[in-house]
Amino acid sequence: MLSNSRLRLFSSSYIHHVTRNNFTVRIVKRGIFGLPKKENIILTPDDQYCSDRVQKMDNEHYLCGLFLPARARKAYYAIRAFNIEAATAADVAKGEEAVRMRLNFWKDAVNSSFKNEPPQHPVARALRDAISSHKLNRGFLVRTVDRREKDISDIQPKKMEDVEKYAEDAQASLLYLTLESLGVKDLKADHVASHLGRAEGIVTILRATAYHISKRKIYFPVELTAKYNVVPEELFRGVLPDTLNDLIYEMASTAKIHLDKARALKKNVPEAALPAFLVSVHIEDFLNKLQKAHFNIFDPSLKNKSL
């Protein structure tokens, strides 16, 4: 049983209100963050493809993208569409070798895009335009693919630090690229992105627990499964120990710590960087729902996304 003190850890003074129909998000803390002014930006078919792809496959980040200035939005959706291609490689391709080939295609697409010679794929062409317009960092793009390649193996992470490294590679890299699309080069903003990316990566793992188990994969670190006597093979058979909620609580607590650090540091970053951090709304929303569910990761209420 989880104590009241554990539940209080997740209390927050932040309030957010989301209206799905008109994509309005109000974050009540130091005022209201509204939609950017309309700008006349021409969308190419490749831009539209990326936007539609993100809206269909990653609606939460699609909605966050609506709050970016138009000059950055095209690059943002190209980056997010690129991430979708890398993240879904294992679902689209069958077999380890086929997955590696698909990921290598996207790694090669990054390198060729820096030479202005992208493959004939709408995401690759849009990414080439984003690289050209915003001088995106090659390393962050490649790192997102490398992270997915490491996922092909079924090796369970050993420590929570390994999970945080996964989150840094898979999620913080995308936030760094978003900052670049906004024209922000600031160490303090990067520090916020690092903490927020780690929080989002951990939350992403928690949200995908049922899916991972169905694929006989486990992203809970060995040190926690041992601590709480959670046996992966039993999870694969559908046996859920009472201590699983305590393991989930400990991982969620780490995400909350990173979220709080990001918010504490956010006051020192340039205003232009703030749209990159709207994903914090989704992170907090999930953690609050998880708290109300007493850290039962299979509670039906957690299936409803924040937006």
Side-chain angles (χ1 to χ4, degrees):
M1 178 66 68
L2 298 168
S3 67
N4 289 334
S5 62
R6 287 190 174 187
L7 297 178
R8 284 196 296 271
L9 179 83
F10 281 78
S11 65
S12 171
S13 61
Y14 281 80
I15 303 170
H16 73 268
H17 171 71
V18 180
T19 305
R20 179 188 288 269
N21 292 336
N22 59 9
F23 305 118
T24 299
V25 177
R26 293 172 59 233
I27 302 175
V28 182
K29 178 67 174 178
R30 288 189 292 257
I32 299 175
F33 190 86
L35 285 165
K37 295 180 180 179
K38 290 185 178 180
E39 299 178 56
N40 294 322
I41 299 293
I42 297 175
L43 294 181
T44 68
D46 294 338
D47 296 328
Q48 193 62 57
Y49 177 91
C50 290
S51 176
D52 293 344
R53 184 93 165 117
V54 176
Q55 184 177 20
K56 179 181 179 181
M57 300 294 294
D58 188 6
N59 191 247
E60 289 183 348
H61 286 105
Y62 170 78
L63 295 177
C64 288
L66 295 175
F67 292 84
L68 270 65
R71 66 183 184 278
R73 200 177 307 134
K74 291 170 62 173
Y76 172 83
Y77 287 136
I79 293 164
R80 286 290 165 182
F82 166 74
N83 179 62
I84 289 169
E85 296 300 330
T88 60
D91 297 321
V92 175
K94 303 300 180 184
E96 286 191 14
E97 189 59 33
V99 174
R100 291 187 193 279
M101 289 177 63
R102 194 172 185 87
L103 290 172
N104 282 334
F105 169 85
W106 286 108
K107 194 183 298 186
D108 291 342
V110 169
N111 292 325
S112 61
S113 292
F114 273 90
K115 300 175 183 177
N116 199 28
E117 300 173 352
Q120 291 307 303
H121 189 289
V123 174
R125 291 192 298 263
L127 190 63
R128 181 270 315 273
D129 294 343
I131 289 168
S132 175
S133 299
H134 300 278
K135 310 301 180 188
L136 300 182
N137 185 295
R138 185 199 305 256
F140 295 144
L141 291 165
V142 171
R143 192 162 73 174
T144 62
V145 182
D146 286 342
R147 180 67 262 177
R148 305 302 177 179
E149 193 168 14
K150 292 176 182 177
D151 285 348
I152 296 175
S153 65
D154 294 327
I155 299 175
Q156 182 182 358
K158 290 182 172 59
K159 298 183 178 181
M160 195 61 204
E161 288 86 350
D162 298 325
V163 176
E164 292 186 58
K165 180 62 169 63
Y166 168 90
E168 170 75 22
D169 291 346
Q171 299 298 336
S173 295
L174 299 172
L175 292 176
Y176 298 143
L177 290 165
T178 302
L179 288 172
E180 289 183 342
S181 72
L182 289 164
V184 175
K185 295 186 182 297
D186 181 84
L187 288 177
K188 292 179 181 178
D190 288 346
H191 200 182
V192 172
S194 178
H195 283 296
L196 198 57
R198 288 167 188 258
E200 183 177 13
I202 295 168
V203 163
T204 299
I205 288 172
L206 293 177
R207 291 173 73 166
T209 295
Y211 172 79
H212 291 150
I213 289 176
S214 73
K215 298 294 184 180
R216 295 185 62 83
K217 286 182 175 287
I218 190 79
Y219 285 88
F220 304 148
V222 172
E223 66 177 0
L224 293 189
T225 54
K227 178 179 179 179
Y228 295 106
N229 196 28
V230 174
V231 182
E233 279 298 326
E234 291 184 354
L235 294 180
F236 299 152
R237 295 198 303 268
V239 179
L240 306 178
D242 293 338
T243 53
L244 179 60
N245 290 17
D246 297 297
L247 183 154
I248 297 297
Y249 163 79
E250 187 158 338
M251 291 187 68
S253 296
T254 302
K256 182 63 165 58
I257 288 169
H258 282 296
L259 177 62
D260 287 345
K261 286 181 178 178
R263 283 180 162 162
L265 293 167
K266 193 170 67 173
K267 62 186 177 182
N268 298 318
V269 306
E271 186 175 350
L274 297 181
F277 305 139
L278 278 175
V279 70
S280 62
V281 172
H282 302 296
I283 298 170
E284 183 187 38
D285 182 85
F286 176 81
L287 291 175
N288 285 341
K289 287 180 179 178
L290 186 59
Q291 172 195 335
K292 292 176 182 177
H294 300 282
F295 303 95
N296 174 10
I297 199 63
F298 299 102
D299 191 280
S301 66
L302 300 178
K303 294 181 180 180
N304 297 321
K305 292 189 176 182
S306 56
L307 291 181

